[in-house]
Amino acid sequence: MVRTVSLVVTAMGTLFANAKDSPTYYTPERVAAARHNAETYPWAKAVRKRIFTTGDSIRYYIGPEYTAADAYAAQTDDFIWLLQPDTRIARIVFPRDTVAFCPKHGADVKKISVWCPWRIDPISHPYQIQCMLGKEWYPSNAYHEGDLDSGEFADNGQDGCLHGGKRYFFLREYAHLVYGSVVVPTLRSLSEAYQLTGDPNYARKGCILLARLATQYPNYGWDKADGDLENRFDRTYLGPWDNHHPHYKWKQGGMITDLIWETFCLEATVYAYDGLWAYMDQDPDMLSFLRSKGMPVETASDLRQYIETYIFRAAAKGLLAGWIKGNEGFHQAAAMALALVLDDYSDNHPNSRDLVDYAFHGIGNSVDIMINGVLPDGGGHESPNYALIKLDFIRVSRLMEAIRERRPDAFPEERYPDLFADPKAKALFDYYIDIISNDYAYPSVGDCGGLRTMKPYPRVSRSALKHENLFAVEKYRDPRHALSCLDPDGELFTGELWEPYPEKLVRELAAGPDAAIVRRSRVFDDYGVAILESGGPDHRRTAILNYASLIGHRQHDHLNLEFLARRLYLLQ
């Protein structure tokens, strides 16, 4: 791969001019709020520790928010450059009988995971996956060093490894795992670490990783006027199969990962760019390093244009075409983040206005989401855990206000309204308090819950929501929402690092006479759940009848009965 990189990135074409002239997400106010939170609150100090030192565990293709910024900032520039694999390595393992199948342990690894029984450690074992059962590493060759065929389990990145009559795709698995679980979280960690400290080493490594991603990010081609830009359709998630999934024939789209997961990977990358933007003027040596890798970047402006064109313009086109699209809330938030960070109202299309219109009135249709997507009792068309994704519209709403603050005359409230002004929006927050059964968990509705073991559960939960309740507190001034921001000992346990923390308001409302969450019998008849509940916290008894008829993430048993008592799950 090392010997082919320069051939990939020198095809620059006529890039889109960049309109952005300053950070628009990481404003001075936002950075000051984060630094204050990290110095003041235990929950924020825990987030800071994840950003700098611990990161999050890696067990799947997506999941971690952070890697350890200190560990990745300590790596060489060349290591960071190769952290994102060449996207000519596909990310789908096919045929399906090769998924979750190990050369040494066969199908036994499915006992660990039927989807992904692998782990990765890019610092100690770059371009390898580890079997979680036997702890051995594959492939046997050092692909990142140009070694394509050493050892019993060699994988050249294209043909996989033929062993014992069966073909294994170790590098495809690695390429998919490392993008969603390492590359994107590392961009988030390095950019946030830079904003929190001002340390240029974090920014340098982040810029190199973002530049590398720009050389590898796929696209679906360009308009005729932009035809000299590099077409990377063959690198899209389904490009090797002409944009049709080889197993799920109906499925199309995606960029580096599939069309759903790409939404939040893209949103995180957008914020990282905003956090690193200012540094790009400060390091001529970094630009020299990027030129040595074949990137045509003489100036910081060249680098920004390259990134904006090959990541964000390509992604914007993918959003508008439906090739990037997730659960409701995912793609809308990604589009609004792009609109704010690009800050482009020129004749280049898609521009920021196109993206806002997409999110509010196009495929995103945010303007109707609370009216048509939430039931009067706060439930929705999905299982409770998947319906949580609608809380992503908090970010959509906040991003709209940030955009409107910059362009007050361009986005009138009549056409781009407050999404949380509808009464059903408040019911959404109430639902996640009242749907909790026995002070513990959701009912088993759809693919949420399932069979539980009979063992005590220690934690007490007032709400299934965490930091989202802070938004509700400021919006609705409801004492129950404020109480849900405190743990049983009255301590503040949740927050958002990059948002001002409304501690005074939370404590005032939570101390009021109406700040009580009482678990009584209740019926969610619109949604289809009835809960009979009585008794004090240590002796609570709960019977649940699930008669929901869901459209999404549905169930086989439409009259499921559950019984919980004294913090034990008693009936399956």
Side-chain angles (χ1 to χ4, degrees):
M1 182 169 68
V2 177
R3 53 188 169 79
T4 63
V5 166
S6 63
L7 297 177
V8 174
V9 301
T10 51
M12 186 166 182
T14 304
L15 302 181
F16 289 91
N18 49 329
K20 184 177 180 66
D21 60 8
S22 64
T24 47
Y25 181 76
Y26 287 105
T27 60
E29 296 78 11
R30 186 180 295 278
V31 174
R35 291 177 177 178
H36 172 75
N37 289 339
E39 292 171 358
T40 307
Y41 299 108
W43 59 263
K45 292 177 182 179
V47 174
R48 193 185 193 283
K49 183 177 181 181
R50 289 167 58 207
I51 293 170
F52 285 93
T53 61
T54 66
D56 299 328
S57 61
I58 302 168
R59 292 189 61 86
Y60 197 56
Y61 305 104
I62 54 170
E65 287 187 78
Y66 297 109
T67 59
D70 288 346
Y72 282 89
Q75 304 306 309
T76 66
D77 291 347
D78 282 309
F79 174 91
I80 294 295
W81 177 259
L82 287 177
L83 187 59
Q84 168 58 50
D86 191 313
T87 48
R88 286 172 292 190
I89 300 174
R91 278 80 65 199
I92 290 178
V93 173
F94 186 78
R96 296 293 290 176
D97 64 359
T98 61
V99 173
F101 206 91
C102 174
K104 290 192 176 180
H105 304 99
D108 286 348
V109 294
K110 295 180 188 290
K111 297 173 184 176
I112 295 175
S113 172
V114 298
W115 297 112
C116 183
W118 317 108
R119 66 175 293 270
I120 59 173
D121 179 358
I123 293 178
S124 299
H125 293 270
Y127 287 78
Q128 286 186 305
I129 59 174
Q130 185 184 40
C131 171
M132 290 187 188
L133 190 60
K135 311 304 182 188
E136 73 278 10
W137 292 89
Y138 303 101
S140 52
N141 57 307
Y143 176 83
H144 59 294
E145 296 176 356
D147 173 10
L148 302 182
D149 53 12
S150 292
E152 183 180 4
F153 299 105
D155 184 342
N156 64 9
Q158 299 301 317
D159 305 318
C161 168
L162 184 61
H163 181 81
K166 197 173 187 69
R167 197 169 295 277
Y168 301 89
F169 294 97
F170 308 124
L171 288 175
R172 289 188 186 185
E173 291 280 17
Y174 180 86
H176 202 187
L177 277 160
V178 79
Y179 173 63
S181 286
V182 178
V183 171
V184 173
T186 299
L187 283 170
R188 181 188 279 116
S189 291
L190 291 171
S191 58
E192 292 190 13
Y194 176 58
Q195 289 297 321
L196 287 168
T197 65
D199 186 330
N201 193 40
Y202 297 119
R204 179 185 174 98
K205 303 302 183 184
C207 287
I208 290 171
L209 182 56
L210 188 61
R212 167 64 172 179
L213 182 61
T215 70
Q216 299 302 315
Y217 201 75
N219 60 60
Y220 285 83
W222 304 93
D223 296 337
K224 187 175 181 180
D226 309 312
D228 57 344
L229 294 174
E230 184 182 358
N231 187 316
R232 299 177 185 168
F233 171 75
D234 61 319
R235 296 165 174 255
T236 60
Y237 186 63
L238 299 177
W241 298 274
D242 197 28
N243 199 21
H244 287 82
H245 197 287
H247 182 73
Y248 304 108
K249 300 295 184 182
W250 50 269
K251 195 170 186 178
Q252 294 182 277
M255 300 299 269
I256 294 182
T257 187
D258 86 322
L259 80 168
I260 297 174
W261 297 348
E262 194 67 49
T263 55
F264 44 81
C265 289
L266 170 61
E267 185 183 359
T269 303
V270 171
Y271 298 140
Y273 173 60
D274 195 72
L276 298 167
W277 186 91
Y279 180 78
M280 294 177 184
D281 284 315
Q282 301 174 28
D283 193 342
D285 182 69
M286 176 193 71
L287 295 175
S288 177
F289 172 80
L290 296 178
R291 286 194 297 273
S292 76
K293 298 300 182 184
M295 289 194 73
V297 289
E298 296 295 328
T299 65
S301 179
D302 291 342
L303 176 58
R304 291 166 180 153
Q305 280 185 281
Y306 194 99
I307 291 168
E308 289 189 16
T309 296
Y310 277 110
I311 300 180
F312 302 131
R313 300 292 179 176
K317 286 177 175 288
L319 281 163
L320 269 60
W323 302 135
I324 303 175
K325 186 177 186 295
N327 302 61
E328 296 299 339
F330 281 172
H331 46 284
Q332 294 93 336
M336 294 299 289
L338 265 176
L340 175 66
V341 170
L342 285 177
D343 198 28
D344 181 10
Y345 297 87
S346 70
D347 291 332
N348 292 329
H349 295 280
N351 62 18
S352 292
R353 177 177 288 281
D354 297 330
L355 289 160
V356 173
D357 283 338
Y358 158 92
F360 269 73
H361 299 285
I363 291 176
N365 200 29
S366 298
V367 71
D368 292 327
I369 192 66
M370 295 300 168
I371 299 169
N372 296 330
V374 179
L375 297 167
D377 58 20
H381 74 286
E382 297 178 294
S383 53
N385 52 348
Y386 270 93
L388 276 171
I389 298 168
K390 286 193 179 70
L391 276 301
D392 281 22
F393 284 99
I394 292 174
R395 295 201 305 283
V396 174
S397 181
R398 284 173 169 166
L399 289 162
M400 183 69 255
E401 291 312 305
I403 291 168
R404 198 180 344 249
E405 185 176 339
R406 295 181 64 81
R407 305 274 175 167
D409 299 325
F411 298 100
E413 288 196 31
E414 296 77 18
R415 180 165 171 77
Y416 307 94
D418 178 356
L419 302 181
F420 288 88
D422 190 274
K424 289 183 182 179
K426 181 180 182 298
L428 183 62
F429 296 91
D430 296 335
Y431 167 88
Y432 279 105
I433 293 174
D434 297 327
I435 199 68
I436 292 293
S437 59
N438 217 241
D439 291 326
Y440 169 60
Y442 298 125
S444 293
V445 180
D447 62 0
C448 175
L451 302 180
R452 299 186 177 101
T453 57
M454 189 186 298
K455 63 181 181 181
Y457 45 86
R459 67 186 178 88
V460 173
S461 179
R462 290 187 171 121
S463 169
L465 306 182
K466 298 294 184 289
H467 62 80
E468 298 91 348
N469 280 317
L470 294 165
F471 175 85
V473 164
E474 294 187 288
K475 187 74 178 173
Y476 308 116
R477 302 296 201 269
D478 188 317
R480 295 205 315 160
H481 300 155
L483 195 59
S484 297
C485 297
L486 304 177
D487 66 21
D489 297 323
E491 297 299 322
L492 299 159
F493 75 96
T494 183
E496 296 173 275
L497 185 63
W498 298 94
E499 295 290 337
Y501 196 73
E503 178 183 4
K504 182 179 178 181
L505 180 60
V506 168
R507 291 200 179 279
E508 285 178 356
L509 290 171
D514 298 324
I517 296 173
V518 181
R519 303 292 185 198
R520 298 191 180 97
S521 296
R522 51 209 183 269
V523 177
F524 300 85
D525 201 38
D526 301 302
Y527 188 60
V529 171
I531 300 175
L532 299 177
E533 195 155 35
S534 64
D538 294 327
H539 303 279
R540 199 175 308 284
R541 301 169 298 280
T542 309
I544 305 165
L545 176 64
N546 161 22
Y547 57 99
S549 181
L550 305 179
I551 298 172
H553 300 279
R554 61 189 69 189
Q555 62 213 21
H556 291 294
D557 185 350
H558 290 276
L559 285 173
N560 185 51
L561 186 65
E562 299 177 273
F563 182 61
L564 301 88
R566 300 194 180 197
R567 299 186 182 179
L568 280 172
Y569 192 86
L570 299 175
L571 179 65
Q572 296 179 348

